Amino acid sequence: MRRLLAPFRRPVPALLAILVAAQALFCWRLTTPHMLVFDEIHYVPAARTLLALEGPVNVEHPLLGKALIALGMMIFGDNPLGWRALSTLAGTAIVGGVFAIVWLMTGRTRAAAIGAVLTLVNFMVLVQARIAMLDGFMAAFVVLAVAAMGWAMRGTPTQSRWRWGLGAVLLGLAVGVKWAAVPYLGYAAIGFVLMKRGDTSRWPGLRWWSAWGLLGLGAAIAYAATFAPAFFYAREPMTWANLLPFQWEMYARQTQILPPHHYQSIWWSWPVIGRPIWYFYEVADGARRGIFLLGNPAVMWGGLIAVAACALGWLRTREVRLGVAAGLWIGGFAVWAIIPKSLGFYYYYFLPAIWLSIALAVAIDRWRARMRDWDEAYLVGAVCLFVYFHPILTAGALAGPASFSRWTWFADWR
């Protein structure tokens, strides 16, 4: 058995194994239900319009996420597989990106694998990887951008520059999916200055002004490029003259006052899973089925403890990996207190929930000697919860109309 598992102690074989498992999980019964689910009612029709280059639609968001849905439809057809296929790739990219980030932070395959597995079983990644929405694409670009910028801290000056530039382009693409990625441009700029001040050998060949210049230029070019299809619309085509005014139109739609919604929630309730969302709960494909967007309680609540431990550990030791692990979640979550949205929804917590897996992996790696075998027991517990909740994360066949009560532990989950 040891010989069989020996290759997986190296990062590349371990990463490939996890990616294959993730993609398989995301694709299993992907086409169920054979109807539009939740916000697919907005984004799939918008992708159809974009694919036909008819004209502007769903203009409150940039084009890239809808273009990726349209690409899936172009490859696999206008059907459930086509709608959701590229979302599965985004989910797998998120899992792989977390593996890379943790490996760069710790240098240990075990820690990286724990981070990736906790991401895979955090519930939210599975659900978003199986639906044609924008959040999975945005999160994938942000996670990969963080990995690329962490990678840029090492290597020759030339390697550092192009890796940092790659991260900038990925952040620009993330913003080209949803504007919720904009704060990460600021975090990258501030993080570079703070970490470079602590150790000038980081990001060799880059000074703050060159890093900021590459960040701004790379992100701006990538973001502008995402509007390319709009220049070929049959109706109201985009022009260079109205590209900037169009951004103001998007901002106005993003910040408009919306009527109350059954599933709306306050940002500070998301970490405790205050108001998860039933994306789907009805009869489809011959059975009662449900899709429940919530976080794995072991990861969501355990992750908060890990964030606190990393933050306190950083205050005492100034250990960079602890500060970064805590800072990713704090920055990703706290910004929702000031984002000018009239309504909040639990899926806005998607990116901060991903950062919890990094905090958990780093904390487990840092204090593993004190934990003895409890870290492995915790991981088994998280996986067991994933198996238990799996039917209502993936539209599995349920016994009847009241079956949801088996998984709704609290009144706010109904």
Side-chain angles (χ1 to χ4, degrees):
M1 180 62 72
R2 288 184 178 180
R3 288 183 179 180
L4 184 64
L5 296 177
F8 298 103
R9 295 175 183 172
R10 299 193 299 271
V12 173
L15 173 60
L16 291 176
I18 291 171
L19 292 181
V20 169
Q23 189 63 35
L25 278 172
F26 297 154
C27 287
W28 186 60
R29 289 196 297 102
L30 178 63
T31 58
T32 303
H34 287 76
M35 61 178 67
L36 297 176
V37 171
F38 197 60
D39 277 357
E40 286 184 337
I41 64 172
H42 303 300
Y43 301 128
V44 170
R48 289 176 182 141
T49 302
L50 184 58
L51 191 59
L53 295 176
E54 293 178 6
V57 66
N58 189 245
V59 296
E60 61 265 34
H61 296 297
L63 299 184
L64 183 56
K66 291 163 284 188
L68 291 171
I69 296 171
L71 177 60
M73 294 164 63
M74 183 186 301
I75 297 171
F76 299 105
D78 189 351
N79 52 52
L81 177 60
W83 306 338
R84 301 163 188 158
L86 266 64
S87 291
T88 67
L89 296 179
T92 300
I94 290 169
V95 173
V98 168
F99 183 101
I101 292 168
V102 177
W103 188 85
L104 287 166
M105 293 170 74
T106 66
R108 282 184 272 278
T109 302
R110 183 181 188 274
I114 288 174
V117 170
L118 289 174
T119 302
L120 178 58
V121 302
N122 86 341
F123 294 7
M124 298 181 77
V125 171
L126 175 66
V127 173
Q128 293 299 138
R130 296 168 51 83
I131 190 170
M133 287 175 60
L134 308 183
D135 302 80
F137 299 120
M138 179 196 70
F141 286 127
V142 171
V143 170
L144 292 176
V146 173
M149 289 175 165
W151 190 26
M153 294 175 68
R154 309 175 181 185
T156 66
T158 299
Q159 291 172 331
S160 182
R161 291 188 194 100
W162 78 257
R163 291 168 184 173
W164 178 265
L166 173 63
V169 168
L170 289 168
L171 283 180
L173 295 177
V175 177
V177 177
K178 288 187 80 170
W179 278 7
V182 168
Y184 290 91
L185 289 166
Y187 296 153
I190 295 169
F192 179 92
V193 171
L194 294 177
M195 295 181 68
K196 185 78 169 179
R197 181 182 298 174
D199 184 349
T200 56
S201 68
R202 295 174 180 139
W203 293 290
L206 285 172
R207 305 285 294 277
W208 72 265
W209 50 269
S210 58
W212 285 16
L214 273 175
L215 178 63
L217 182 64
I221 291 174
Y223 177 72
T226 65
F227 289 92
F231 285 81
F232 301 95
Y233 284 161
R235 172 177 51 84
E236 299 180 41
M238 181 70 70
T239 65
W240 290 109
N242 62 16
L243 182 58
L244 282 178
F246 184 70
Q247 310 305 307
W248 287 109
E249 181 179 352
M250 284 197 295
Y251 178 79
R253 290 176 179 264
Q254 289 275 347
T255 57
Q256 64 183 315
I257 304 300
L258 298 173
H261 191 282
H262 177 68
Y263 282 118
Q264 71 184 70
S265 54
I266 306 295
W267 63 274
W268 46 258
S269 71
W270 302 336
V272 293
I273 323 178
R275 189 68 174 106
I277 302 172
W278 282 98
Y279 277 0
F280 186 83
Y281 196 80
E282 56 186 275
V283 175
D285 300 301
R288 171 73 59 175
R289 302 180 187 274
I291 301 176
F292 194 22
L293 180 78
L294 81 163
N296 186 323
V299 178
M300 299 299 114
W301 300 337
L304 296 179
I305 297 173
V307 168
C310 287
L312 291 173
W314 176 79
L315 289 172
R316 292 172 181 170
T317 67
R318 290 299 190 266
E319 192 172 332
V320 172
R321 61 173 177 166
L322 297 180
V324 172
L328 280 171
W329 181 83
I330 293 170
F333 171 61
V335 71
W336 286 103
I338 60 174
I339 287 180
K341 301 279 285 186
S342 64
L343 296 181
F345 296 96
Y346 184 64
Y347 62 83
Y348 291 172
Y349 191 60
F350 186 46
L351 255 176
I354 293 168
W355 304 139
L356 289 175
S357 297
I358 293 177
L360 280 161
V362 170
I364 288 171
D365 183 73
R366 176 63 175 79
W367 290 289
R368 185 186 175 194
R370 299 184 185 180
M371 299 182 70
R372 299 182 181 178
D373 294 328
W374 285 105
D375 56 336
E376 296 176 1
Y378 168 76
L379 190 64
V380 169
V383 172
C384 288
L385 282 174
F386 177 80
V387 173
Y388 176 74
F389 277 87
H390 190 267
I392 49 92
L393 302 175
T394 59
L398 306 178
S403 296
F404 68 89
S405 61
R406 174 182 171 187
W407 295 279
T408 49
W409 294 355
F410 306 101
D412 283 346
W413 290 17
R414 295 176 180 270

